[in-house]
Amino acid sequence: MAVFDTPEEAFGVLRPVCVQLTRTQTVENVEQLRAQLCTVSDAALQELQQYILFPLRFALRTPGPKRERLVQSVVECLTSVLSSTCVKEQELLQELFSELSGCLYSPHAQKPAAVSEELKLAVVQGLGTLMHSAYGDVVLTFYGPSVLPRLGFAVSLLLGLAEQEKSKQMKMAALDCLQILLLQCECDDHPRPLSELEQKQLGDLFASFLPGVSTALTRIITGDFKQGHGVIVSSLKIFYKIVGFVLADEQLRRIPKVQEKPAVEPRVAKLMVHREAGWVQNTGDKLAVLIRKVVECVSVHPHWKARRELIELVETLLLQCGQSLVASAGPLLKALVGLLNDESPEVQAQCNHVLRHFADQKVVVGSRAFADILSENLHSLATSLPRLMNSQDDQGKFSTLSLLLGYLKLLGPRVNFVLNSVAHLQRLSKALIQVLELDVADVKIVEERRWDSGHLQASAETSAARPRSQVQRRYFRFFTDERVFLLLRQVCQLLGFYGNLYLLVDHFMDLYHESVAYRKQAAMILNELVTGAAGLDVENLYEKHTKTSPEELREIVTSLLEEYTSQENWYLVTCIDAEEMGEELTMRQAGLQAIASGTRTCQVASFPAFSKPSPTVCSMNSNIWQICIQLEGIGHFAYALGTDFRLLLMSALYPVLEKAGDQSLLISQAATSAMMDICHACGYDSLQHLINQNSDYLVNGISLNLRHLSLHPHTPKVLEVMLRNSDASLLPLVADVVQDVLAALDQFYDKRAASFVSVLHALLLALAQWFRDTGDVGQLQERRGGEEESHSSPRPAALRRGPGNTTTAEDIEQFLLNYLKQKGVAEGNVSDCDEEEQRSDPPQVDENDTGPYVEPPLPLHIQVAAAVTERCIHLLSDKSLQIRLKVLDVLDLCVLVLQSHRNQLLPLAHRAWPPLVHRLTNDDPLAVLRAFKVLQTLGGTCGDFLRNRFCKDVLPKLAGALASQASVSARAGPVYSHTLAFKLQLAVLQGLGPLCERLDLGEGDLNKVADACLIYLSAKQPVKLQEAARRVFLHLMQVDPDSAWFLLNELYCPEQFIPPHPSLHPVRLRGASGQQNPYAANVLLLLGQLQCSEPPCRRGAEPTPAEGSGSSQDYEGGLDN
């Protein structure tokens, strides 16, 4: 807080100190003056400015050597005075400027003095404060021709400090002072806005410094990154501000051709520069070299603020010096577009802002010179693009393609002028074709097949959840980074948006036809061109640009769609299939076999171009990717046209459905994704909605093509896909088509049975889902519950007592009587009285019934299932294992669909039984597994009908096979669990128990099952087989618990049984009770289960109902589920 506010008071305080300093120049006297200055107000200091400055200036001007500490103190005190006052006289300003500058000059050595960093810093800060303290026009009058030598010395001094000093603080201070000297600081009032004349005068003055300043700043900018980003940013700012000021196009237009003679000394006049056209051209050429160095260095600077300042440099120079620096336009534009996809969001945002500003100002579009430069740069980059993509790493490739994308963004609508040049178009197109080359050597592409029937639904869900811009993962020859592919897609979209779409489509279609090697890349580019032409995923910098009209876009899409779905481009070799070769490829073959007389599976035989023998893996991979890209293109077309694509559904949907049923996983996924794109574009809710709404013409196409199956071998796949993605409302429409399929199967069963059986499988799977019959399931469960009650009925109520009651002699007597009675009934010894009791009442006759009973017509799905079952019976003995497996799956579904109509099911089951038995007993293990599954389903739906047949034809061989294989599995190691024999054992054991229970087998047959499964209770067997064997006995306990209990105790008897009455003899069972018995653990588990589910009559006690509640029932339910 100032104490002395008036000049008089301040003078009284400061006079002794100033006099003392004038007499004796010491650091102490300077510090005393500085302390007194703090007690004086700014207004008083302004009045006494020159009086106070006199002793300080005297100390600096005194001849002879001076101590650095004294000079530093004087400069710091002078700076303090200047920071609180204004310099209002030009002469004082010039003298102070010279005196401060002289502090760092050695007159004897003719170079900057070697002084301490502290003194240098104090002088530099003092110069900056001095220039800021200049009042009003004083600072502008200072910049006259006469001051040129002094100003030049100060500028060179500051540049030397900024370049050579190690201290970052010193560098920054020197650069800040240099910016102030060149009147380019960012202060609001320094200087005031300049008139045109003042700008011209200052430009002429600073032009003398431009070569030295720009060269020195370039050395600083391109120096070591360790000097810090702040030094780089400040140097860049001074560089583009001084260059933008001196070479501003507006100033140069007002420069006269003849230079006026300045009223200065001849020595000074030689330093003046006349900014005429020749000088501008020469300077621009030299600056182009410096700018190129600056751009190359800063564009890869690790700090984002340096890269952002580079964008400011580009914007300033191109907007203010576009004509004078036309030689530098190429590097500047390259720097700008190269930072479009910078890793820093701040740099990206600034770059996009500048690009939009350029578009608004028509910097490129309105300048023929800039457009020509960009065109040449584009041509040069396209020429070197394949080489760069082959030699650079992924980050370099990303930067290169960012550059290409930026050029196209800057050119905007002027891309058309570039593309009209044949050389430019060919170079750019060939570059894109080469860069997008796919790697098709991976054998997994061919190996990935669609085996499961639920794949299409899963693919639909995945495609629905997938973003629109995402495509199938691809592997390219020249890059692996997904960002590179994204940039290539954006490049193609920009070409489609700004370019002549007709020209581009014609050119790339020519490449598409020119060579098979170009076809995939050309299709990818065409897809993106159409997407870009719609303007849906393109950032439009030029608002006035007109997009391609919907009518033109639809015409182009129509022609592309016809080309894609033509037979020579749509039906390509993608696999080697036994159905087409006439040979069977068994399921055990691992890998792909080369077949000398091979023809392709997926093409019409009448085309000679597609009948090449033994297609290679690479060619099939290439064909798969081509089809996938074309399918993806159809999705792109739908996305681009929107609801207008409904007009093309008639020609697009059928081929896409055809490929959705392809066995190649990639093709099927691509087709499903294309269908989802069509749904979204055309306003359908789902695939089911899409198919149902267009089912009429699809069914018509299927019906027509089935009549010429040799020309349309893929027709069944369309029906298969429709069935997998529709509902029961489709059945009436396809009923006639199903009959056509069955008729075609009857005609071509020896050639195309596999494809037809796949359709029948899809049909029966759909029927099983659409017409679920829960009534039979409930009846089956009730029947099982009744059987369980009947099996437990022989036990008298007297023996169903809790542990608190003892068994009496009367109870035992009653039990034996009931047993003898049941035994007599079983042997046919029934008394007359029993027959009369069991005789049922005669059925009542309905008096209103006047005619014979007429059976109602069968439901449509039952008729279809019965017709399909008829064909399956004939195909069960087909020579192809693959077809037999598919037929068994279809037959299993047929049984499920027909289970509610036993009048149709039982005759068909009777006819299917002989070939089914052959599959069960004398076929490949895979077929045995499938046949056993069918047997289980039959047992659950028509158990009584199959009981005798199963016991006579199947059970002995199954039991024998289990018994013979048990010794092998007991000795086998851990690898055995991966063999087909083990899987067959496990499947039979898992299904045998439920099958015995459902068929309600007799005692003798149950004994056969038990004898075959007993050995699998041994601890020597694999754990899974032991578990499966235990499940068999759990089911046997439900059928005949007494027999199961007796067999288990004969195998291992854990305890001695005490008779319930002394008159009875002790019971002795043969089961050994030693600890080394291998059956002990499993027998104990099963006996525990039996004790929980049934009251043990042989023991004097039984568990309470809570102890055994639901254990075996829960176990059985888990099996059924």
mmCIF file with all atom_site columns, all heavy atoms in Angstrom, residues 778-791 940 994 997-998 1035 1116 1120:
data_model
loop_
_atom_site.group_PDB
_atom_site.id
_atom_site.type_symbol
_atom_site.label_atom_id
_atom_site.label_alt_id
_atom_site.label_comp_id
_atom_site.label_asym_id
_atom_site.label_entity_id
_atom_site.label_seq_id
_atom_site.pdbx_PDB_ins_code
_atom_site.Cartn_x
_atom_site.Cartn_y
_atom_site.Cartn_z
_atom_site.occupancy
_atom_site.B_iso_or_equiv
_atom_site.pdbx_formal_charge
_atom_site.auth_seq_id
_atom_site.auth_comp_id
_atom_site.auth_asym_id
_atom_site.auth_atom_id
_atom_site.pdbx_PDB_model_num
ATOM 1   N N   . GLY A 1 778  ? -48.890 -84.916  -20.724 1.00 0.00 ? 778  GLY A N   1
ATOM 2   C CA  . GLY A 1 778  ? -49.572 -85.070  -19.440 1.00 0.00 ? 778  GLY A CA  1
ATOM 3   C C   . GLY A 1 778  ? -50.096 -86.479  -19.251 1.00 0.00 ? 778  GLY A C   1
ATOM 4   O O   . GLY A 1 778  ? -49.996 -87.055  -18.162 1.00 0.00 ? 778  GLY A O   1
ATOM 5   N N   . GLN A 1 779  ? -50.691 -87.052  -20.323 1.00 0.00 ? 779  GLN A N   1
ATOM 6   C CA  . GLN A 1 779  ? -51.178 -88.427  -20.192 1.00 0.00 ? 779  GLN A CA  1
ATOM 7   C C   . GLN A 1 779  ? -50.045 -89.398  -19.908 1.00 0.00 ? 779  GLN A C   1
ATOM 8   O O   . GLN A 1 779  ? -50.180 -90.326  -19.121 1.00 0.00 ? 779  GLN A O   1
ATOM 9   C CB  . GLN A 1 779  ? -51.885 -88.833  -21.488 1.00 0.00 ? 779  GLN A CB  1
ATOM 10  C CG  . GLN A 1 779  ? -53.172 -88.048  -21.751 1.00 0.00 ? 779  GLN A CG  1
ATOM 11  C CD  . GLN A 1 779  ? -53.762 -88.387  -23.092 1.00 0.00 ? 779  GLN A CD  1
ATOM 12  O OE1 . GLN A 1 779  ? -53.306 -89.299  -23.758 1.00 0.00 ? 779  GLN A OE1 1
ATOM 13  N NE2 . GLN A 1 779  ? -54.799 -87.646  -23.479 1.00 0.00 ? 779  GLN A NE2 1
ATOM 14  N N   . LEU A 1 780  ? -48.900 -89.131  -20.546 1.00 0.00 ? 780  LEU A N   1
ATOM 15  C CA  . LEU A 1 780  ? -47.761 -90.018  -20.333 1.00 0.00 ? 780  LEU A CA  1
ATOM 16  C C   . LEU A 1 780  ? -47.297 -89.955  -18.887 1.00 0.00 ? 780  LEU A C   1
ATOM 17  O O   . LEU A 1 780  ? -46.997 -90.964  -18.260 1.00 0.00 ? 780  LEU A O   1
ATOM 18  C CB  . LEU A 1 780  ? -46.627 -89.627  -21.282 1.00 0.00 ? 780  LEU A CB  1
ATOM 19  C CG  . LEU A 1 780  ? -45.397 -90.538  -21.307 1.00 0.00 ? 780  LEU A CG  1
ATOM 20  C CD1 . LEU A 1 780  ? -45.804 -91.943  -21.729 1.00 0.00 ? 780  LEU A CD1 1
ATOM 21  C CD2 . LEU A 1 780  ? -44.327 -89.976  -22.222 1.00 0.00 ? 780  LEU A CD2 1
ATOM 22  N N   . GLN A 1 781  ? -47.280 -88.736  -18.328 1.00 0.00 ? 781  GLN A N   1
ATOM 23  C CA  . GLN A 1 781  ? -46.873 -88.615  -16.936 1.00 0.00 ? 781  GLN A CA  1
ATOM 24  C C   . GLN A 1 781  ? -47.875 -89.284  -16.000 1.00 0.00 ? 781  GLN A C   1
ATOM 25  O O   . GLN A 1 781  ? -47.503 -89.929  -15.017 1.00 0.00 ? 781  GLN A O   1
ATOM 26  C CB  . GLN A 1 781  ? -46.708 -87.128  -16.577 1.00 0.00 ? 781  GLN A CB  1
ATOM 27  C CG  . GLN A 1 781  ? -45.544 -86.473  -17.297 1.00 0.00 ? 781  GLN A CG  1
ATOM 28  C CD  . GLN A 1 781  ? -45.464 -85.002  -16.998 1.00 0.00 ? 781  GLN A CD  1
ATOM 29  O OE1 . GLN A 1 781  ? -46.398 -84.425  -16.435 1.00 0.00 ? 781  GLN A OE1 1
ATOM 30  N NE2 . GLN A 1 781  ? -44.356 -84.377  -17.388 1.00 0.00 ? 781  GLN A NE2 1
ATOM 31  N N   . GLU A 1 782  ? -49.178 -89.143  -16.332 1.00 0.00 ? 782  GLU A N   1
ATOM 32  C CA  . GLU A 1 782  ? -50.186 -89.808  -15.503 1.00 0.00 ? 782  GLU A CA  1
ATOM 33  C C   . GLU A 1 782  ? -50.037 -91.319  -15.585 1.00 0.00 ? 782  GLU A C   1
ATOM 34  O O   . GLU A 1 782  ? -50.160 -92.030  -14.576 1.00 0.00 ? 782  GLU A O   1
ATOM 35  C CB  . GLU A 1 782  ? -51.592 -89.394  -15.971 1.00 0.00 ? 782  GLU A CB  1
ATOM 36  C CG  . GLU A 1 782  ? -51.911 -87.925  -15.678 1.00 0.00 ? 782  GLU A CG  1
ATOM 37  C CD  . GLU A 1 782  ? -53.260 -87.557  -16.233 1.00 0.00 ? 782  GLU A CD  1
ATOM 38  O OE1 . GLU A 1 782  ? -53.940 -88.469  -16.760 1.00 0.00 ? 782  GLU A OE1 1
ATOM 39  O OE2 . GLU A 1 782  ? -53.651 -86.390  -16.132 1.00 0.00 ? 782  GLU A OE2 1
ATOM 40  N N   . ARG A 1 783  ? -49.716 -91.795  -16.809 1.00 0.00 ? 783  ARG A N   1
ATOM 41  C CA  . ARG A 1 783  ? -49.551 -93.242  -16.969 1.00 0.00 ? 783  ARG A CA  1
ATOM 42  C C   . ARG A 1 783  ? -48.355 -93.723  -16.160 1.00 0.00 ? 783  ARG A C   1
ATOM 43  O O   . ARG A 1 783  ? -48.393 -94.782  -15.539 1.00 0.00 ? 783  ARG A O   1
ATOM 44  C CB  . ARG A 1 783  ? -49.378 -93.576  -18.457 1.00 0.00 ? 783  ARG A CB  1
ATOM 45  C CG  . ARG A 1 783  ? -49.300 -95.062  -18.734 1.00 0.00 ? 783  ARG A CG  1
ATOM 46  C CD  . ARG A 1 783  ? -49.452 -95.324  -20.218 1.00 0.00 ? 783  ARG A CD  1
ATOM 47  N NE  . ARG A 1 783  ? -48.427 -94.666  -20.988 1.00 0.00 ? 783  ARG A NE  1
ATOM 48  C CZ  . ARG A 1 783  ? -47.216 -95.203  -21.208 1.00 0.00 ? 783  ARG A CZ  1
ATOM 49  N NH1 . ARG A 1 783  ? -46.913 -96.367  -20.668 1.00 0.00 ? 783  ARG A NH1 1
ATOM 50  N NH2 . ARG A 1 783  ? -46.331 -94.566  -21.938 1.00 0.00 ? 783  ARG A NH2 1
ATOM 51  N N   . ARG A 1 784  ? -47.315 -92.922  -16.168 1.00 0.00 ? 784  ARG A N   1
ATOM 52  C CA  . ARG A 1 784  ? -46.154 -93.316  -15.373 1.00 0.00 ? 784  ARG A CA  1
ATOM 53  C C   . ARG A 1 784  ? -46.483 -93.344  -13.888 1.00 0.00 ? 784  ARG A C   1
ATOM 54  O O   . ARG A 1 784  ? -46.073 -94.240  -13.159 1.00 0.00 ? 784  ARG A O   1
ATOM 55  C CB  . ARG A 1 784  ? -45.010 -92.321  -15.617 1.00 0.00 ? 784  ARG A CB  1
ATOM 56  C CG  . ARG A 1 784  ? -44.397 -92.420  -16.996 1.00 0.00 ? 784  ARG A CG  1
ATOM 57  C CD  . ARG A 1 784  ? -43.237 -91.482  -17.093 1.00 0.00 ? 784  ARG A CD  1
ATOM 58  N NE  . ARG A 1 784  ? -42.743 -91.407  -18.449 1.00 0.00 ? 784  ARG A NE  1
ATOM 59  C CZ  . ARG A 1 784  ? -41.796 -90.568  -18.847 1.00 0.00 ? 784  ARG A CZ  1
ATOM 60  N NH1 . ARG A 1 784  ? -41.272 -89.729  -17.988 1.00 0.00 ? 784  ARG A NH1 1
ATOM 61  N NH2 . ARG A 1 784  ? -41.382 -90.575  -20.092 1.00 0.00 ? 784  ARG A NH2 1
ATOM 62  N N   . GLY A 1 785  ? -47.274 -92.329  -13.457 1.00 0.00 ? 785  GLY A N   1
ATOM 63  C CA  . GLY A 1 785  ? -47.650 -92.323  -12.045 1.00 0.00 ? 785  GLY A CA  1
ATOM 64  C C   . GLY A 1 785  ? -48.484 -93.535  -11.683 1.00 0.00 ? 785  GLY A C   1
ATOM 65  O O   . GLY A 1 785  ? -48.316 -94.153  -10.628 1.00 0.00 ? 785  GLY A O   1
ATOM 66  N N   . GLY A 1 786  ? -49.413 -93.941  -12.608 1.00 0.00 ? 786  GLY A N   1
ATOM 67  C CA  . GLY A 1 786  ? -50.214 -95.135  -12.352 1.00 0.00 ? 786  GLY A CA  1
ATOM 68  C C   . GLY A 1 786  ? -49.364 -96.383  -12.320 1.00 0.00 ? 786  GLY A C   1
ATOM 69  O O   . GLY A 1 786  ? -49.594 -97.290  -11.514 1.00 0.00 ? 786  GLY A O   1
ATOM 70  N N   . GLU A 1 787  ? -48.368 -96.456  -13.208 1.00 0.00 ? 787  GLU A N   1
ATOM 71  C CA  . GLU A 1 787  ? -47.502 -97.629  -13.199 1.00 0.00 ? 787  GLU A CA  1
ATOM 72  C C   . GLU A 1 787  ? -46.724 -97.709  -11.894 1.00 0.00 ? 787  GLU A C   1
ATOM 73  O O   . GLU A 1 787  ? -46.555 -98.784  -11.326 1.00 0.00 ? 787  GLU A O   1
ATOM 74  C CB  . GLU A 1 787  ? -46.545 -97.559  -14.394 1.00 0.00 ? 787  GLU A CB  1
ATOM 75  C CG  . GLU A 1 787  ? -47.241 -97.765  -15.724 1.00 0.00 ? 787  GLU A CG  1
ATOM 76  C CD  . GLU A 1 787  ? -46.292 -97.522  -16.881 1.00 0.00 ? 787  GLU A CD  1
ATOM 77  O OE1 . GLU A 1 787  ? -45.137 -97.131  -16.604 1.00 0.00 ? 787  GLU A OE1 1
ATOM 78  O OE2 . GLU A 1 787  ? -46.701 -97.722  -18.034 1.00 0.00 ? 787  GLU A OE2 1
ATOM 79  N N   . GLU A 1 788  ? -46.269 -96.564  -11.414 1.00 0.00 ? 788  GLU A N   1
ATOM 80  C CA  . GLU A 1 788  ? -45.519 -96.590  -10.162 1.00 0.00 ? 788  GLU A CA  1
ATOM 81  C C   . GLU A 1 788  ? -46.396 -97.069  -9.017  1.00 0.00 ? 788  GLU A C   1
ATOM 82  O O   . GLU A 1 788  ? -45.971 -97.835  -8.159  1.00 0.00 ? 788  GLU A O   1
ATOM 83  C CB  . GLU A 1 788  ? -44.980 -95.186  -9.871  1.00 0.00 ? 788  GLU A CB  1
ATOM 84  C CG  . GLU A 1 788  ? -43.900 -94.762  -10.870 1.00 0.00 ? 788  GLU A CG  1
ATOM 85  C CD  . GLU A 1 788  ? -43.518 -93.324  -10.688 1.00 0.00 ? 788  GLU A CD  1
ATOM 86  O OE1 . GLU A 1 788  ? -44.041 -92.687  -9.746  1.00 0.00 ? 788  GLU A OE1 1
ATOM 87  O OE2 . GLU A 1 788  ? -42.695 -92.814  -11.470 1.00 0.00 ? 788  GLU A OE2 1
ATOM 88  N N   . GLU A 1 789  ? -47.690 -96.654  -9.020  1.00 0.00 ? 789  GLU A N   1
ATOM 89  C CA  . GLU A 1 789  ? -48.591 -97.117  -7.966  1.00 0.00 ? 789  GLU A CA  1
ATOM 90  C C   . GLU A 1 789  ? -48.833 -98.603  -8.079  1.00 0.00 ? 789  GLU A C   1
ATOM 91  O O   . GLU A 1 789  ? -48.876 -99.327  -7.078  1.00 0.00 ? 789  GLU A O   1
ATOM 92  C CB  . GLU A 1 789  ? -49.920 -96.365  -8.065  1.00 0.00 ? 789  GLU A CB  1
ATOM 93  C CG  . GLU A 1 789  ? -49.821 -94.921  -7.574  1.00 0.00 ? 789  GLU A CG  1
ATOM 94  C CD  . GLU A 1 789  ? -51.187 -94.296  -7.488  1.00 0.00 ? 789  GLU A CD  1
ATOM 95  O OE1 . GLU A 1 789  ? -52.178 -95.059  -7.548  1.00 0.00 ? 789  GLU A OE1 1
ATOM 96  O OE2 . GLU A 1 789  ? -51.278 -93.079  -7.363  1.00 0.00 ? 789  GLU A OE2 1
ATOM 97  N N   . SER A 1 790  ? -48.998 -99.094  -9.329  1.00 0.00 ? 790  SER A N   1
ATOM 98  C CA  . SER A 1 790  ? -49.260 -100.524 -9.507  1.00 0.00 ? 790  SER A CA  1
ATOM 99  C C   . SER A 1 790  ? -48.061 -101.349 -9.080  1.00 0.00 ? 790  SER A C   1
ATOM 100 O O   . SER A 1 790  ? -48.203 -102.443 -8.559  1.00 0.00 ? 790  SER A O   1
ATOM 101 C CB  . SER A 1 790  ? -49.610 -100.815 -10.968 1.00 0.00 ? 790  SER A CB  1
ATOM 102 O OG  . SER A 1 790  ? -48.479 -100.551 -11.794 1.00 0.00 ? 790  SER A OG  1
ATOM 103 N N   . HIS A 1 791  ? -46.859 -100.812 -9.307  1.00 0.00 ? 791  HIS A N   1
ATOM 104 C CA  . HIS A 1 791  ? -45.676 -101.570 -8.905  1.00 0.00 ? 791  HIS A CA  1
ATOM 105 C C   . HIS A 1 791  ? -45.543 -101.615 -7.392  1.00 0.00 ? 791  HIS A C   1
ATOM 106 O O   . HIS A 1 791  ? -45.019 -102.571 -6.833  1.00 0.00 ? 791  HIS A O   1
ATOM 107 C CB  . HIS A 1 791  ? -44.414 -100.942 -9.502  1.00 0.00 ? 791  HIS A CB  1
ATOM 108 C CG  . HIS A 1 791  ? -44.371 -101.064 -10.990 1.00 0.00 ? 791  HIS A CG  1
ATOM 109 N ND1 . HIS A 1 791  ? -44.745 -102.208 -11.631 1.00 0.00 ? 791  HIS A ND1 1
ATOM 110 C CD2 . HIS A 1 791  ? -43.997 -100.160 -11.964 1.00 0.00 ? 791  HIS A CD2 1
ATOM 111 C CE1 . HIS A 1 791  ? -44.593 -102.044 -12.940 1.00 0.00 ? 791  HIS A CE1 1
ATOM 112 N NE2 . HIS A 1 791  ? -44.150 -100.787 -13.160 1.00 0.00 ? 791  HIS A NE2 1
ATOM 113 N N   . GLY A 1 940  ? -41.531 -93.611  -25.696 1.00 0.00 ? 940  GLY A N   1
ATOM 114 C CA  . GLY A 1 940  ? -42.317 -92.675  -24.907 1.00 0.00 ? 940  GLY A CA  1
ATOM 115 C C   . GLY A 1 940  ? -43.686 -92.409  -25.465 1.00 0.00 ? 940  GLY A C   1
ATOM 116 O O   . GLY A 1 940  ? -44.577 -91.919  -24.759 1.00 0.00 ? 940  GLY A O   1
ATOM 117 N N   . PRO A 1 994  ? -34.932 -95.239  -18.735 1.00 0.00 ? 994  PRO A N   1
ATOM 118 C CA  . PRO A 1 994  ? -36.239 -94.674  -19.072 1.00 0.00 ? 994  PRO A CA  1
ATOM 119 C C   . PRO A 1 994  ? -37.024 -95.539  -20.063 1.00 0.00 ? 994  PRO A C   1
ATOM 120 O O   . PRO A 1 994  ? -38.251 -95.631  -19.972 1.00 0.00 ? 994  PRO A O   1
ATOM 121 C CB  . PRO A 1 994  ? -35.886 -93.315  -19.679 1.00 0.00 ? 994  PRO A CB  1
ATOM 122 C CG  . PRO A 1 994  ? -34.540 -92.986  -19.153 1.00 0.00 ? 994  PRO A CG  1
ATOM 123 C CD  . PRO A 1 994  ? -33.834 -94.280  -18.972 1.00 0.00 ? 994  PRO A CD  1
ATOM 124 N N   . GLU A 1 997  ? -38.680 -98.422  -18.296 1.00 0.00 ? 997  GLU A N   1
ATOM 125 C CA  . GLU A 1 997  ? -39.801 -97.948  -17.491 1.00 0.00 ? 997  GLU A CA  1
ATOM 126 C C   . GLU A 1 997  ? -41.008 -97.608  -18.367 1.00 0.00 ? 997  GLU A C   1
ATOM 127 O O   . GLU A 1 997  ? -42.150 -97.936  -18.030 1.00 0.00 ? 997  GLU A O   1
ATOM 128 C CB  . GLU A 1 997  ? -39.363 -96.728  -16.688 1.00 0.00 ? 997  GLU A CB  1
ATOM 129 C CG  . GLU A 1 997  ? -40.429 -96.227  -15.725 1.00 0.00 ? 997  GLU A CG  1
ATOM 130 C CD  . GLU A 1 997  ? -39.944 -95.048  -14.907 1.00 0.00 ? 997  GLU A CD  1
ATOM 131 O OE1 . GLU A 1 997  ? -38.752 -94.697  -15.002 1.00 0.00 ? 997  GLU A OE1 1
ATOM 132 O OE2 . GLU A 1 997  ? -40.778 -94.478  -14.179 1.00 0.00 ? 997  GLU A OE2 1
ATOM 133 N N   . ARG A 1 998  ? -40.760 -96.966  -19.515 1.00 0.00 ? 998  ARG A N   1
ATOM 134 C CA  . ARG A 1 998  ? -41.871 -96.582  -20.385 1.00 0.00 ? 998  ARG A CA  1
ATOM 135 C C   . ARG A 1 998  ? -42.506 -97.790  -21.066 1.00 0.00 ? 998  ARG A C   1
ATOM 136 O O   . ARG A 1 998  ? -43.719 -97.819  -21.269 1.00 0.00 ? 998  ARG A O   1
ATOM 137 C CB  . ARG A 1 998  ? -41.365 -95.590  -21.431 1.00 0.00 ? 998  ARG A CB  1
ATOM 138 C CG  . ARG A 1 998  ? -40.939 -94.249  -20.855 1.00 0.00 ? 998  ARG A CG  1
ATOM 139 C CD  . ARG A 1 998  ? -40.253 -93.398  -21.897 1.00 0.00 ? 998  ARG A CD  1
ATOM 140 N NE  . ARG A 1 998  ? -39.740 -92.143  -21.329 1.00 0.00 ? 998  ARG A NE  1
ATOM 141 C CZ  . ARG A 1 998  ? -38.985 -91.280  -21.994 1.00 0.00 ? 998  ARG A CZ  1
ATOM 142 N NH1 . ARG A 1 998  ? -38.651 -91.548  -23.258 1.00 0.00 ? 998  ARG A NH1 1
ATOM 143 N NH2 . ARG A 1 998  ? -38.557 -90.193  -21.419 1.00 0.00 ? 998  ARG A NH2 1
ATOM 144 N N   . HIS A 1 1035 ? -34.264 -96.396  -12.381 1.00 0.00 ? 1035 HIS A N   1
ATOM 145 C CA  . HIS A 1 1035 ? -35.499 -96.622  -13.139 1.00 0.00 ? 1035 HIS A CA  1
ATOM 146 C C   . HIS A 1 1035 ? -36.031 -98.039  -12.910 1.00 0.00 ? 1035 HIS A C   1
ATOM 147 O O   . HIS A 1 1035 ? -37.250 -98.242  -12.831 1.00 0.00 ? 1035 HIS A O   1
ATOM 148 C CB  . HIS A 1 1035 ? -35.238 -96.390  -14.625 1.00 0.00 ? 1035 HIS A CB  1
ATOM 149 C CG  . HIS A 1 1035 ? -35.128 -94.942  -14.992 1.00 0.00 ? 1035 HIS A CG  1
ATOM 150 N ND1 . HIS A 1 1035 ? -36.224 -94.123  -15.145 1.00 0.00 ? 1035 HIS A ND1 1
ATOM 151 C CD2 . HIS A 1 1035 ? -34.044 -94.156  -15.218 1.00 0.00 ? 1035 HIS A CD2 1
ATOM 152 C CE1 . HIS A 1 1035 ? -35.833 -92.906  -15.472 1.00 0.00 ? 1035 HIS A CE1 1
ATOM 153 N NE2 . HIS A 1 1035 ? -34.503 -92.894  -15.515 1.00 0.00 ? 1035 HIS A NE2 1
ATOM 154 N N   . GLU A 1 1116 ? -35.183 -88.878  -11.485 1.00 0.00 ? 1116 GLU A N   1
ATOM 155 C CA  . GLU A 1 1116 ? -35.802 -89.258  -12.762 1.00 0.00 ? 1116 GLU A CA  1
ATOM 156 C C   . GLU A 1 1116 ? -36.191 -88.018  -13.559 1.00 0.00 ? 1116 GLU A C   1
ATOM 157 O O   . GLU A 1 1116 ? -36.022 -87.957  -14.767 1.00 0.00 ? 1116 GLU A O   1
ATOM 158 C CB  . GLU A 1 1116 ? -37.020 -90.120  -12.502 1.00 0.00 ? 1116 GLU A CB  1
ATOM 159 C CG  . GLU A 1 1116 ? -37.708 -90.563  -13.796 1.00 0.00 ? 1116 GLU A CG  1
ATOM 160 C CD  . GLU A 1 1116 ? -39.011 -91.266  -13.504 1.00 0.00 ? 1116 GLU A CD  1
ATOM 161 O OE1 . GLU A 1 1116 ? -39.362 -91.410  -12.338 1.00 0.00 ? 1116 GLU A OE1 1
ATOM 162 O OE2 . GLU A 1 1116 ? -39.654 -91.658  -14.469 1.00 0.00 ? 1116 GLU A OE2 1
ATOM 163 N N   . ASP A 1 1120 ? -35.264 -87.005  -17.464 1.00 0.00 ? 1120 ASP A N   1
ATOM 164 C CA  . ASP A 1 1120 ? -36.220 -86.700  -18.527 1.00 0.00 ? 1120 ASP A CA  1
ATOM 165 C C   . ASP A 1 1120 ? -35.947 -85.331  -19.115 1.00 0.00 ? 1120 ASP A C   1
ATOM 166 O O   . ASP A 1 1120 ? -36.158 -85.102  -20.293 1.00 0.00 ? 1120 ASP A O   1
ATOM 167 C CB  . ASP A 1 1120 ? -37.645 -86.767  -17.981 1.00 0.00 ? 1120 ASP A CB  1
ATOM 168 C CG  . ASP A 1 1120 ? -38.010 -88.203  -17.643 1.00 0.00 ? 1120 ASP A CG  1
ATOM 169 O OD1 . ASP A 1 1120 ? -37.331 -89.127  -18.145 1.00 0.00 ? 1120 ASP A OD1 1
ATOM 170 O OD2 . ASP A 1 1120 ? -38.958 -88.380  -16.885 1.00 0.00 ? 1120 ASP A OD2 1
#
